[in-house]
Amino acid sequence: MEQSEHHFLNESTVEDVARTFKALADPTRVKILYLLSQEECSVGHIADVLNMTQSAVSHQLSFLKNLRLVKSRRQGKSLFYSYDDEHVIGVLKQVIDHSLHD
Amino acid sequence: MEQSEHHFLNESTVEDVARTFKALADPTRVKILYLLSQEECSVGHIADVLNMTQSAVSHQLSFLKNLRLVKSRRQGKSLFYSYDDEHVIGVLKQVIDHSLHD
DNA sequence: TCAACATATGAGCATGTGTTCATATAATAA
DNA sequence: TTATTATATGAACACATGCTCATATGTTGA
């Protein structure tokens, strides 16, 4: 037991992993990302569907965009957001499925 | 676009999912869970390996135990912790791998 | 029983987080 | 240009979080 070989992660990897999970660690962001996993949405549409203020949604989208988990596309006056990290969406769906099936 | 069918998650599912991700959303807990994914450890051993105080480790283990992500077993004066949720460990490893390979 | 060791726990503190509110920026139409 | 609509942004605030410190609890061996 005292001679076992550990595999260690370097600090930047640990922080990157924690940062990724932090993006998914809030109910609002879970709802937003799950919505975006189904369709591209404007900010206003997200606010309507999730019953949130425009500002709160915009702040969270800005947060997610900084992490490159979502991207945006302008169409007229609106900005349409969509997910930009398939792996993270996959992990989200996996944990949702697990939560639903037990 | 305006007629599309969304699939919605109920609030308790969303909160459960966010709570799970929150467990993984801190560098210290990532390190602890990754260590436990490799071997059962006493509290003191974790503190030594991660260069943390005994108290800080114990608080985090208590947090993880409340979420049933780890379990403990007493052996003499020591408590040995091990992971108790294979799915969450799998998700952790998956995100670690993804972080390492890009 | 008592000392030594291992872990748990509560209070306190500094920092982080998610929201609201007011306002700024940007695109469109008249 | 100006009014309208859509979104972004900064400040402020309440609350959550992760740590330290002191101390409590629990186990073992003398």
Side-chain angles (χ1 to χ4, degrees), chain A residues 4 6-7 11 16 21-22 24-25 31 34-35 38-39 87 94 98-99, chain B residues 4 6-7 11 16 21-22 24-25 31 34-35 38-39 87 94 98-99:
Chain A
S4 64
H6 302 265
H7 176 243
E11 194 62 28
D16 184 54
F21 283 123
K22 196 167 291 186
L24 303 167
K31 290 181 204 168
Y34 187 64
L35 191 52
Q38 297 172 76
E39 61 166 356
H87 181 257
Q94 198 178 322
H98 190 254
S99 175
Chain B
S4 64
H6 303 265
H7 177 241
E11 195 62 27
D16 184 53
F21 283 123
K22 195 167 290 186
L24 302 167
K31 290 181 205 168
Y34 187 64
L35 191 52
Q38 297 173 76
E39 60 167 356
H87 180 257
Q94 198 177 322
H98 191 252
S99 175

PDB file of all heavy atoms in Angstrom, chain A residues 4 6-7 11 16 21-22 24-25 31 34-35 38-39 87 94 98-99, chain B residues 4 6-7 11 16 21-22 24-25 31 34-35 38-39 87 94 98-99:
ATOM      1  N   SER A   4       2.723   1.960  -3.501  1.00  0.00           N
ATOM      2  CA  SER A   4       1.967   2.033  -4.753  1.00  0.00           C
ATOM      3  C   SER A   4       2.336   3.283  -5.556  1.00  0.00           C
ATOM      4  O   SER A   4       2.709   4.304  -5.012  1.00  0.00           O
ATOM      5  CB  SER A   4       0.473   2.021  -4.466  1.00  0.00           C
ATOM      6  OG  SER A   4       0.115   3.168  -3.741  1.00  0.00           O
ATOM      7  N   HIS A   6       1.345   6.290  -7.795  1.00  0.00           N
ATOM      8  CA  HIS A   6       0.227   7.146  -8.164  1.00  0.00           C
ATOM      9  C   HIS A   6       0.499   7.769  -9.514  1.00  0.00           C
ATOM     10  O   HIS A   6       1.641   8.041  -9.862  1.00  0.00           O
ATOM     11  CB  HIS A   6       0.065   8.301  -7.171  1.00  0.00           C
ATOM     12  CG  HIS A   6      -0.143   7.866  -5.777  1.00  0.00           C
ATOM     13  ND1 HIS A   6      -1.385   7.727  -5.231  1.00  0.00           N
ATOM     14  CD2 HIS A   6       0.744   7.533  -4.815  1.00  0.00           C
ATOM     15  CE1 HIS A   6      -1.250   7.337  -3.972  1.00  0.00           C
ATOM     16  NE2 HIS A   6       0.026   7.215  -3.697  1.00  0.00           N
ATOM     17  N   HIS A   7      -0.560   8.045 -10.209  1.00  0.00           N
ATOM     18  CA  HIS A   7      -0.432   8.913 -11.359  1.00  0.00           C
ATOM     19  C   HIS A   7      -0.912  10.285 -10.922  1.00  0.00           C
ATOM     20  O   HIS A   7      -1.983  10.434 -10.350  1.00  0.00           O
ATOM     21  CB  HIS A   7      -1.280   8.400 -12.527  1.00  0.00           C
ATOM     22  CG  HIS A   7      -1.250   9.302 -13.705  1.00  0.00           C
ATOM     23  ND1 HIS A   7      -2.368   9.944 -14.187  1.00  0.00           N
ATOM     24  CD2 HIS A   7      -0.213   9.708 -14.471  1.00  0.00           C
ATOM     25  CE1 HIS A   7      -2.025  10.691 -15.215  1.00  0.00           C
ATOM     26  NE2 HIS A   7      -0.728  10.577 -15.411  1.00  0.00           N
ATOM     27  N   GLU A  11      -0.917  20.775 -12.183  1.00  0.00           N
ATOM     28  CA  GLU A  11      -1.863  21.760 -11.661  1.00  0.00           C
ATOM     29  C   GLU A  11      -2.744  22.371 -12.751  1.00  0.00           C
ATOM     30  O   GLU A  11      -3.942  22.586 -12.542  1.00  0.00           O
ATOM     31  CB  GLU A  11      -1.087  22.862 -10.929  1.00  0.00           C
ATOM     32  CG  GLU A  11      -1.931  23.761 -10.064  1.00  0.00           C
ATOM     33  CD  GLU A  11      -2.649  23.044  -8.909  1.00  0.00           C
ATOM     34  OE1 GLU A  11      -2.132  22.000  -8.436  1.00  0.00           O
ATOM     35  OE2 GLU A  11      -3.724  23.503  -8.501  1.00  0.00           O
ATOM     36  N   ASP A  16      -8.000  23.137 -15.236  1.00  0.00           N
ATOM     37  CA  ASP A  16      -8.805  23.107 -16.445  1.00  0.00           C
ATOM     38  C   ASP A  16     -10.019  22.209 -16.267  1.00  0.00           C
ATOM     39  O   ASP A  16     -11.141  22.560 -16.651  1.00  0.00           O
ATOM     40  CB  ASP A  16      -7.948  22.612 -17.612  1.00  0.00           C
ATOM     41  CG  ASP A  16      -8.693  22.656 -18.939  1.00  0.00           C
ATOM     42  OD1 ASP A  16      -9.205  23.736 -19.284  1.00  0.00           O
ATOM     43  OD2 ASP A  16      -8.782  21.613 -19.610  1.00  0.00           O
ATOM     44  N   PHE A  21     -15.967  21.642 -15.193  1.00  0.00           N
ATOM     45  CA  PHE A  21     -17.100  21.194 -14.383  1.00  0.00           C
ATOM     46  C   PHE A  21     -17.844  22.380 -13.775  1.00  0.00           C
ATOM     47  O   PHE A  21     -19.055  22.330 -13.587  1.00  0.00           O
ATOM     48  CB  PHE A  21     -16.632  20.237 -13.294  1.00  0.00           C
ATOM     49  CG  PHE A  21     -16.343  18.857 -13.799  1.00  0.00           C
ATOM     50  CD1 PHE A  21     -15.094  18.268 -13.618  1.00  0.00           C
ATOM     51  CD2 PHE A  21     -17.318  18.136 -14.470  1.00  0.00           C
ATOM     52  CE1 PHE A  21     -14.829  16.994 -14.096  1.00  0.00           C
ATOM     53  CE2 PHE A  21     -17.071  16.865 -14.955  1.00  0.00           C
ATOM     54  CZ  PHE A  21     -15.815  16.286 -14.767  1.00  0.00           C
ATOM     55  N   LYS A  22     -17.111  23.454 -13.480  1.00  0.00           N
ATOM     56  CA  LYS A  22     -17.761  24.622 -12.900  1.00  0.00           C
ATOM     57  C   LYS A  22     -18.795  25.208 -13.864  1.00  0.00           C
ATOM     58  O   LYS A  22     -19.826  25.713 -13.444  1.00  0.00           O
ATOM     59  CB  LYS A  22     -16.706  25.681 -12.539  1.00  0.00           C
ATOM     60  CG  LYS A  22     -17.210  26.742 -11.619  1.00  0.00           C
ATOM     61  CD  LYS A  22     -16.082  27.576 -11.030  1.00  0.00           C
ATOM     62  CE  LYS A  22     -15.241  26.762 -10.051  1.00  0.00           C
ATOM     63  NZ  LYS A  22     -14.220  27.591  -9.340  1.00  0.00           N
ATOM     64  N   LEU A  24     -20.732  23.627 -15.571  1.00  0.00           N
ATOM     65  CA  LEU A  24     -21.937  22.783 -15.513  1.00  0.00           C
ATOM     66  C   LEU A  24     -22.517  22.716 -14.112  1.00  0.00           C
ATOM     67  O   LEU A  24     -23.501  22.032 -13.867  1.00  0.00           O
ATOM     68  CB  LEU A  24     -21.579  21.371 -15.990  1.00  0.00           C
ATOM     69  CG  LEU A  24     -20.986  21.277 -17.399  1.00  0.00           C
ATOM     70  CD1 LEU A  24     -20.383  19.907 -17.638  1.00  0.00           C
ATOM     71  CD2 LEU A  24     -22.062  21.560 -18.434  1.00  0.00           C
ATOM     72  N   ALA A  25     -21.924  23.456 -13.196  1.00  0.00           N
ATOM     73  CA  ALA A  25     -22.249  23.311 -11.776  1.00  0.00           C
ATOM     74  C   ALA A  25     -23.281  24.311 -11.291  1.00  0.00           C
ATOM     75  O   ALA A  25     -23.347  24.602 -10.101  1.00  0.00           O
ATOM     76  CB  ALA A  25     -20.974  23.427 -10.950  1.00  0.00           C
ATOM     77  N   LYS A  31     -29.582  24.364 -17.556  1.00  0.00           N
ATOM     78  CA  LYS A  31     -30.778  24.564 -18.388  1.00  0.00           C
ATOM     79  C   LYS A  31     -30.418  25.193 -19.724  1.00  0.00           C
ATOM     80  O   LYS A  31     -30.919  24.783 -20.776  1.00  0.00           O
ATOM     81  CB  LYS A  31     -31.774  25.472 -17.655  1.00  0.00           C
ATOM     82  CG  LYS A  31     -32.438  24.830 -16.458  1.00  0.00           C
ATOM     83  CD  LYS A  31     -33.414  25.833 -15.839  1.00  0.00           C
ATOM     84  CE  LYS A  31     -33.662  25.531 -14.371  1.00  0.00           C
ATOM     85  NZ  LYS A  31     -34.373  26.638 -13.686  1.00  0.00           N
ATOM     86  N   TYR A  34     -28.538  22.669 -21.907  1.00  0.00           N
ATOM     87  CA  TYR A  34     -29.430  21.596 -22.364  1.00  0.00           C
ATOM     88  C   TYR A  34     -30.353  22.106 -23.465  1.00  0.00           C
ATOM     89  O   TYR A  34     -30.600  21.418 -24.460  1.00  0.00           O
ATOM     90  CB  TYR A  34     -30.235  21.047 -21.186  1.00  0.00           C
ATOM     91  CG  TYR A  34     -31.052  19.837 -21.550  1.00  0.00           C
ATOM     92  CD1 TYR A  34     -30.415  18.657 -21.951  1.00  0.00           C
ATOM     93  CD2 TYR A  34     -32.442  19.876 -21.529  1.00  0.00           C
ATOM     94  CE1 TYR A  34     -31.152  17.548 -22.308  1.00  0.00           C
ATOM     95  CE2 TYR A  34     -33.185  18.758 -21.873  1.00  0.00           C
ATOM     96  CZ  TYR A  34     -32.535  17.601 -22.266  1.00  0.00           C
ATOM     97  OH  TYR A  34     -33.267  16.493 -22.617  1.00  0.00           O
ATOM     98  N   LEU A  35     -30.819  23.331 -23.293  1.00  0.00           N
ATOM     99  CA  LEU A  35     -31.644  23.948 -24.330  1.00  0.00           C
ATOM    100  C   LEU A  35     -30.851  24.074 -25.636  1.00  0.00           C
ATOM    101  O   LEU A  35     -31.325  23.708 -26.712  1.00  0.00           O
ATOM    102  CB  LEU A  35     -32.116  25.320 -23.844  1.00  0.00           C
ATOM    103  CG  LEU A  35     -33.194  26.059 -24.612  1.00  0.00           C
ATOM    104  CD1 LEU A  35     -34.417  25.174 -24.846  1.00  0.00           C
ATOM    105  CD2 LEU A  35     -33.594  27.322 -23.854  1.00  0.00           C
ATOM    106  N   GLN A  38     -30.383  21.238 -27.914  1.00  0.00           N
ATOM    107  CA  GLN A  38     -31.515  20.860 -28.751  1.00  0.00           C
ATOM    108  C   GLN A  38     -31.738  21.803 -29.924  1.00  0.00           C
ATOM    109  O   GLN A  38     -32.192  21.391 -30.984  1.00  0.00           O
ATOM    110  CB  GLN A  38     -32.793  20.786 -27.902  1.00  0.00           C
ATOM    111  CG  GLN A  38     -32.690  19.716 -26.827  1.00  0.00           C
ATOM    112  CD  GLN A  38     -33.870  19.765 -25.875  1.00  0.00           C
ATOM    113  OE1 GLN A  38     -34.964  19.327 -26.209  1.00  0.00           O
ATOM    114  NE2 GLN A  38     -33.675  20.338 -24.706  1.00  0.00           N
ATOM    115  N   GLU A  39     -31.420  23.084 -29.709  1.00  0.00           N
ATOM    116  CA  GLU A  39     -31.585  24.021 -30.823  1.00  0.00           C
ATOM    117  C   GLU A  39     -30.821  25.306 -30.574  1.00  0.00           C
ATOM    118  O   GLU A  39     -30.578  25.693 -29.439  1.00  0.00           O
ATOM    119  CB  GLU A  39     -33.066  24.336 -31.064  1.00  0.00           C
ATOM    120  CG  GLU A  39     -33.743  24.976 -29.871  1.00  0.00           C
ATOM    121  CD  GLU A  39     -35.105  25.582 -30.224  1.00  0.00           C
ATOM    122  OE1 GLU A  39     -35.493  25.578 -31.399  1.00  0.00           O
ATOM    123  OE2 GLU A  39     -35.762  26.074 -29.296  1.00  0.00           O
ATOM    124  N   HIS A  87     -17.985  17.644 -26.698  1.00  0.00           N
ATOM    125  CA  HIS A  87     -17.603  16.767 -25.599  1.00  0.00           C
ATOM    126  C   HIS A  87     -18.312  17.155 -24.316  1.00  0.00           C
ATOM    127  O   HIS A  87     -18.830  16.301 -23.589  1.00  0.00           O
ATOM    128  CB  HIS A  87     -16.084  16.794 -25.399  1.00  0.00           C
ATOM    129  CG  HIS A  87     -15.631  15.902 -24.297  1.00  0.00           C
ATOM    130  ND1 HIS A  87     -15.265  16.385 -23.048  1.00  0.00           N
ATOM    131  CD2 HIS A  87     -15.538  14.557 -24.214  1.00  0.00           C
ATOM    132  CE1 HIS A  87     -14.937  15.366 -22.273  1.00  0.00           C
ATOM    133  NE2 HIS A  87     -15.090  14.246 -22.955  1.00  0.00           N
ATOM    134  N   GLN A  94     -24.854  12.764 -20.463  1.00  0.00           N
ATOM    135  CA  GLN A  94     -24.541  11.536 -19.736  1.00  0.00           C
ATOM    136  C   GLN A  94     -24.981  11.653 -18.277  1.00  0.00           C
ATOM    137  O   GLN A  94     -25.612  10.741 -17.730  1.00  0.00           O
ATOM    138  CB  GLN A  94     -23.020  11.349 -19.823  1.00  0.00           C
ATOM    139  CG  GLN A  94     -22.509   9.985 -19.536  1.00  0.00           C
ATOM    140  CD  GLN A  94     -20.989   9.961 -19.725  1.00  0.00           C
ATOM    141  OE1 GLN A  94     -20.446  10.595 -20.642  1.00  0.00           O
ATOM    142  NE2 GLN A  94     -20.295   9.229 -18.867  1.00  0.00           N
ATOM    143  N   HIS A  98     -28.021   9.735 -16.297  1.00  0.00           N
ATOM    144  CA  HIS A  98     -27.752   9.001 -15.061  1.00  0.00           C
ATOM    145  C   HIS A  98     -28.664   9.473 -13.937  1.00  0.00           C
ATOM    146  O   HIS A  98     -29.149   8.678 -13.134  1.00  0.00           O
ATOM    147  CB  HIS A  98     -26.283   9.161 -14.671  1.00  0.00           C
ATOM    148  CG  HIS A  98     -25.855   8.257 -13.561  1.00  0.00           C
ATOM    149  ND1 HIS A  98     -25.630   8.721 -12.292  1.00  0.00           N
ATOM    150  CD2 HIS A  98     -25.643   6.925 -13.523  1.00  0.00           C
ATOM    151  CE1 HIS A  98     -25.272   7.700 -11.516  1.00  0.00           C
ATOM    152  NE2 HIS A  98     -25.277   6.603 -12.238  1.00  0.00           N
ATOM    153  N   SER A  99     -28.897  10.785 -13.905  1.00  0.00           N
ATOM    154  CA  SER A  99     -29.769  11.333 -12.864  1.00  0.00           C
ATOM    155  C   SER A  99     -31.218  10.882 -13.068  1.00  0.00           C
ATOM    156  O   SER A  99     -31.940  10.626 -12.103  1.00  0.00           O
ATOM    157  CB  SER A  99     -29.690  12.860 -12.883  1.00  0.00           C
ATOM    158  OG  SER A  99     -30.607  13.410 -11.967  1.00  0.00           O
TER     159      SER A  99
ATOM    160  N   SER B   4     -40.721  24.306 -32.844  1.00  0.00           N
ATOM    161  CA  SER B   4     -39.936  23.128 -32.470  1.00  0.00           C
ATOM    162  C   SER B   4     -40.298  22.631 -31.080  1.00  0.00           C
ATOM    163  O   SER B   4     -40.717  23.387 -30.221  1.00  0.00           O
ATOM    164  CB  SER B   4     -38.453  23.460 -32.520  1.00  0.00           C
ATOM    165  OG  SER B   4     -38.137  24.440 -31.578  1.00  0.00           O
ATOM    166  N   HIS B   6     -39.309  21.208 -27.591  1.00  0.00           N
ATOM    167  CA  HIS B   6     -38.198  21.084 -26.661  1.00  0.00           C
ATOM    168  C   HIS B   6     -38.470  19.915 -25.736  1.00  0.00           C
ATOM    169  O   HIS B   6     -39.609  19.616 -25.404  1.00  0.00           O
ATOM    170  CB  HIS B   6     -38.083  22.320 -25.763  1.00  0.00           C
ATOM    171  CG  HIS B   6     -37.923  23.595 -26.515  1.00  0.00           C
ATOM    172  ND1 HIS B   6     -36.696  24.139 -26.766  1.00  0.00           N
ATOM    173  CD2 HIS B   6     -38.833  24.415 -27.069  1.00  0.00           C
ATOM    174  CE1 HIS B   6     -36.868  25.268 -27.443  1.00  0.00           C
ATOM    175  NE2 HIS B   6     -38.142  25.460 -27.634  1.00  0.00           N
ATOM    176  N   HIS B   7     -37.403  19.338 -25.272  1.00  0.00           N
ATOM    177  CA  HIS B   7     -37.533  18.428 -24.152  1.00  0.00           C
ATOM    178  C   HIS B   7     -37.086  19.201 -22.922  1.00  0.00           C
ATOM    179  O   HIS B   7     -36.022  19.793 -22.899  1.00  0.00           O
ATOM    180  CB  HIS B   7     -36.661  17.188 -24.350  1.00  0.00           C
ATOM    181  CG  HIS B   7     -36.708  16.264 -23.181  1.00  0.00           C
ATOM    182  ND1 HIS B   7     -35.589  15.952 -22.452  1.00  0.00           N
ATOM    183  CD2 HIS B   7     -37.753  15.627 -22.604  1.00  0.00           C
ATOM    184  CE1 HIS B   7     -35.948  15.138 -21.478  1.00  0.00           C
ATOM    185  NE2 HIS B   7     -37.234  14.919 -21.536  1.00  0.00           N
ATOM    186  N   GLU B  11     -37.227  20.501 -12.437  1.00  0.00           N
ATOM    187  CA  GLU B  11     -36.311  21.260 -11.592  1.00  0.00           C
ATOM    188  C   GLU B  11     -35.420  20.374 -10.728  1.00  0.00           C
ATOM    189  O   GLU B  11     -34.229  20.651 -10.544  1.00  0.00           O
ATOM    190  CB  GLU B  11     -37.116  22.234 -10.714  1.00  0.00           C
ATOM    191  CG  GLU B  11     -36.294  23.315 -10.058  1.00  0.00           C
ATOM    192  CD  GLU B  11     -35.599  24.257 -11.035  1.00  0.00           C
ATOM    193  OE1 GLU B  11     -36.095  24.442 -12.165  1.00  0.00           O
ATOM    194  OE2 GLU B  11     -34.524  24.796 -10.675  1.00  0.00           O
ATOM    195  N   ASP B  16     -30.151  18.245  -9.309  1.00  0.00           N
ATOM    196  CA  ASP B  16     -29.329  17.075  -9.042  1.00  0.00           C
ATOM    197  C   ASP B  16     -28.098  17.058  -9.944  1.00  0.00           C
ATOM    198  O   ASP B  16     -26.974  16.788  -9.496  1.00  0.00           O
ATOM    199  CB  ASP B  16     -30.159  15.806  -9.248  1.00  0.00           C
ATOM    200  CG  ASP B  16     -29.390  14.555  -8.882  1.00  0.00           C
ATOM    201  OD1 ASP B  16     -28.863  14.490  -7.754  1.00  0.00           O
ATOM    202  OD2 ASP B  16     -29.282  13.646  -9.728  1.00  0.00           O
ATOM    203  N   PHE B  21     -22.159  18.067 -10.687  1.00  0.00           N
ATOM    204  CA  PHE B  21     -21.037  18.765 -11.310  1.00  0.00           C
ATOM    205  C   PHE B  21     -20.315  19.659 -10.312  1.00  0.00           C
ATOM    206  O   PHE B  21     -19.103  19.846 -10.393  1.00  0.00           O
ATOM    207  CB  PHE B  21     -21.512  19.580 -12.517  1.00  0.00           C
ATOM    208  CG  PHE B  21     -21.778  18.748 -13.728  1.00  0.00           C
ATOM    209  CD1 PHE B  21     -23.015  18.761 -14.357  1.00  0.00           C
ATOM    210  CD2 PHE B  21     -20.778  17.930 -14.248  1.00  0.00           C
ATOM    211  CE1 PHE B  21     -23.255  17.981 -15.482  1.00  0.00           C
ATOM    212  CE2 PHE B  21     -21.006  17.137 -15.370  1.00  0.00           C
ATOM    213  CZ  PHE B  21     -22.253  17.174 -15.992  1.00  0.00           C
ATOM    214  N   LYS B  22     -21.067  20.186  -9.345  1.00  0.00           N
ATOM    215  CA  LYS B  22     -20.436  21.047  -8.348  1.00  0.00           C
ATOM    216  C   LYS B  22     -19.408  20.265  -7.529  1.00  0.00           C
ATOM    217  O   LYS B  22     -18.379  20.812  -7.128  1.00  0.00           O
ATOM    218  CB  LYS B  22     -21.505  21.648  -7.426  1.00  0.00           C
ATOM    219  CG  LYS B  22     -21.032  22.802  -6.609  1.00  0.00           C
ATOM    220  CD  LYS B  22     -22.184  23.557  -5.954  1.00  0.00           C
ATOM    221  CE  LYS B  22     -23.012  24.319  -6.984  1.00  0.00           C
ATOM    222  NZ  LYS B  22     -24.044  25.178  -6.357  1.00  0.00           N
ATOM    223  N   LEU B  24     -17.425  18.232  -8.629  1.00  0.00           N
ATOM    224  CA  LEU B  24     -16.216  18.099  -9.447  1.00  0.00           C
ATOM    225  C   LEU B  24     -15.650  19.462  -9.840  1.00  0.00           C
ATOM    226  O   LEU B  24     -14.662  19.545 -10.561  1.00  0.00           O
ATOM    227  CB  LEU B  24     -16.542  17.298 -10.706  1.00  0.00           C
ATOM    228  CG  LEU B  24     -17.114  15.903 -10.474  1.00  0.00           C
ATOM    229  CD1 LEU B  24     -17.698  15.337 -11.748  1.00  0.00           C
ATOM    230  CD2 LEU B  24     -16.038  14.974  -9.928  1.00  0.00           C
ATOM    231  N   ALA B  25     -16.258  20.513  -9.362  1.00  0.00           N
ATOM    232  CA  ALA B  25     -15.949  21.863  -9.848  1.00  0.00           C
ATOM    233  C   ALA B  25     -14.940  22.593  -8.986  1.00  0.00           C
ATOM    234  O   ALA B  25     -14.883  23.820  -8.996  1.00  0.00           O
ATOM    235  CB  ALA B  25     -17.235  22.664  -9.965  1.00  0.00           C
ATOM    236  N   LYS B  31      -8.578  16.636  -7.300  1.00  0.00           N
ATOM    237  CA  LYS B  31      -7.380  15.895  -6.881  1.00  0.00           C
ATOM    238  C   LYS B  31      -7.731  14.743  -5.952  1.00  0.00           C
ATOM    239  O   LYS B  31      -7.200  13.636  -6.081  1.00  0.00           O
ATOM    240  CB  LYS B  31      -6.414  16.844  -6.161  1.00  0.00           C
ATOM    241  CG  LYS B  31      -5.744  17.863  -7.071  1.00  0.00           C
ATOM    242  CD  LYS B  31      -4.799  18.740  -6.247  1.00  0.00           C
ATOM    243  CE  LYS B  31      -4.562  20.090  -6.890  1.00  0.00           C
ATOM    244  NZ  LYS B  31      -3.896  21.025  -5.970  1.00  0.00           N
ATOM    245  N   TYR B  34      -9.540  11.989  -7.894  1.00  0.00           N
ATOM    246  CA  TYR B  34      -8.628  11.294  -8.812  1.00  0.00           C
ATOM    247  C   TYR B  34      -7.696  10.369  -8.041  1.00  0.00           C
ATOM    248  O   TYR B  34      -7.418   9.238  -8.471  1.00  0.00           O
ATOM    249  CB  TYR B  34      -7.828  12.313  -9.623  1.00  0.00           C
ATOM    250  CG  TYR B  34      -6.997  11.671 -10.696  1.00  0.00           C
ATOM    251  CD1 TYR B  34      -7.601  10.989 -11.743  1.00  0.00           C
ATOM    252  CD2 TYR B  34      -5.605  11.733 -10.648  1.00  0.00           C
ATOM    253  CE1 TYR B  34      -6.844  10.380 -12.724  1.00  0.00           C
ATOM    254  CE2 TYR B  34      -4.834  11.125 -11.644  1.00  0.00           C
ATOM    255  CZ  TYR B  34      -5.459  10.458 -12.667  1.00  0.00           C
ATOM    256  OH  TYR B  34      -4.712   9.850 -13.642  1.00  0.00           O
ATOM    257  N   LEU B  35      -7.254  10.843  -6.880  1.00  0.00           N
ATOM    258  CA  LEU B  35      -6.439   9.989  -6.018  1.00  0.00           C
ATOM    259  C   LEU B  35      -7.219   8.752  -5.581  1.00  0.00           C
ATOM    260  O   LEU B  35      -6.725   7.620  -5.664  1.00  0.00           O
ATOM    261  CB  LEU B  35      -5.991  10.812  -4.803  1.00  0.00           C
ATOM    262  CG  LEU B  35      -4.925  10.264  -3.874  1.00  0.00           C
ATOM    263  CD1 LEU B  35      -3.684   9.825  -4.651  1.00  0.00           C
ATOM    264  CD2 LEU B  35      -4.553  11.312  -2.832  1.00  0.00           C
ATOM    265  N   GLN B  38      -7.606   5.858  -7.795  1.00  0.00           N
ATOM    266  CA  GLN B  38      -6.461   4.959  -7.946  1.00  0.00           C
ATOM    267  C   GLN B  38      -6.246   4.058  -6.743  1.00  0.00           C
ATOM    268  O   GLN B  38      -5.769   2.937  -6.878  1.00  0.00           O
ATOM    269  CB  GLN B  38      -5.197   5.792  -8.201  1.00  0.00           C
ATOM    270  CG  GLN B  38      -5.281   6.574  -9.495  1.00  0.00           C
ATOM    271  CD  GLN B  38      -4.112   7.525  -9.669  1.00  0.00           C
ATOM    272  OE1 GLN B  38      -3.014   7.111  -9.997  1.00  0.00           O
ATOM    273  NE2 GLN B  38      -4.343   8.792  -9.420  1.00  0.00           N
ATOM    274  N   GLU B  39      -6.577   4.570  -5.548  1.00  0.00           N
ATOM    275  CA  GLU B  39      -6.428   3.714  -4.368  1.00  0.00           C
ATOM    276  C   GLU B  39      -7.211   4.260  -3.194  1.00  0.00           C
ATOM    277  O   GLU B  39      -7.471   5.449  -3.098  1.00  0.00           O
ATOM    278  CB  GLU B  39      -4.953   3.580  -3.977  1.00  0.00           C
ATOM    279  CG  GLU B  39      -4.296   4.898  -3.640  1.00  0.00           C
ATOM    280  CD  GLU B  39      -2.939   4.716  -2.948  1.00  0.00           C
ATOM    281  OE1 GLU B  39      -2.560   3.575  -2.665  1.00  0.00           O
ATOM    282  OE2 GLU B  39      -2.299   5.746  -2.676  1.00  0.00           O
ATOM    283  N   HIS B  87     -19.959   5.944 -11.752  1.00  0.00           N
ATOM    284  CA  HIS B  87     -20.338   6.793 -12.880  1.00  0.00           C
ATOM    285  C   HIS B  87     -19.645   8.150 -12.811  1.00  0.00           C
ATOM    286  O   HIS B  87     -19.109   8.640 -13.807  1.00  0.00           O
ATOM    287  CB  HIS B  87     -21.858   6.970 -12.935  1.00  0.00           C
ATOM    288  CG  HIS B  87     -22.301   7.823 -14.069  1.00  0.00           C
ATOM    289  ND1 HIS B  87     -22.687   9.135 -13.919  1.00  0.00           N
ATOM    290  CD2 HIS B  87     -22.374   7.554 -15.401  1.00  0.00           C
ATOM    291  CE1 HIS B  87     -22.996   9.629 -15.097  1.00  0.00           C
ATOM    292  NE2 HIS B  87     -22.827   8.694 -16.015  1.00  0.00           N
ATOM    293  N   GLN B  94     -13.076  10.911 -17.897  1.00  0.00           N
ATOM    294  CA  GLN B  94     -13.367  11.314 -19.271  1.00  0.00           C
ATOM    295  C   GLN B  94     -12.951  12.772 -19.512  1.00  0.00           C
ATOM    296  O   GLN B  94     -12.307  13.086 -20.525  1.00  0.00           O
ATOM    297  CB  GLN B  94     -14.875  11.164 -19.453  1.00  0.00           C
ATOM    298  CG  GLN B  94     -15.374  11.106 -20.858  1.00  0.00           C
ATOM    299  CD  GLN B  94     -16.891  10.892 -20.854  1.00  0.00           C
ATOM    300  OE1 GLN B  94     -17.431  10.155 -20.020  1.00  0.00           O
ATOM    301  NE2 GLN B  94     -17.577  11.542 -21.777  1.00  0.00           N
ATOM    302  N   HIS B  98      -9.909  14.270 -21.807  1.00  0.00           N
ATOM    303  CA  HIS B  98     -10.173  15.287 -22.828  1.00  0.00           C
ATOM    304  C   HIS B  98      -9.282  16.509 -22.637  1.00  0.00           C
ATOM    305  O   HIS B  98      -8.784  17.090 -23.600  1.00  0.00           O
ATOM    306  CB  HIS B  98     -11.644  15.690 -22.789  1.00  0.00           C
ATOM    307  CG  HIS B  98     -12.061  16.523 -23.953  1.00  0.00           C
ATOM    308  ND1 HIS B  98     -12.328  17.865 -23.827  1.00  0.00           N
ATOM    309  CD2 HIS B  98     -12.243  16.224 -25.251  1.00  0.00           C
ATOM    310  CE1 HIS B  98     -12.664  18.340 -25.010  1.00  0.00           C
ATOM    311  NE2 HIS B  98     -12.631  17.381 -25.892  1.00  0.00           N
ATOM    312  N   SER B  99      -9.069  16.852 -21.369  1.00  0.00           N
ATOM    313  CA  SER B  99      -8.210  18.001 -21.084  1.00  0.00           C
ATOM    314  C   SER B  99      -6.753  17.711 -21.455  1.00  0.00           C
ATOM    315  O   SER B  99      -6.032  18.601 -21.918  1.00  0.00           O
ATOM    316  CB  SER B  99      -8.314  18.362 -19.604  1.00  0.00           C
ATOM    317  OG  SER B  99      -7.412  19.396 -19.288  1.00  0.00           O
TER     318      SER B  99
END
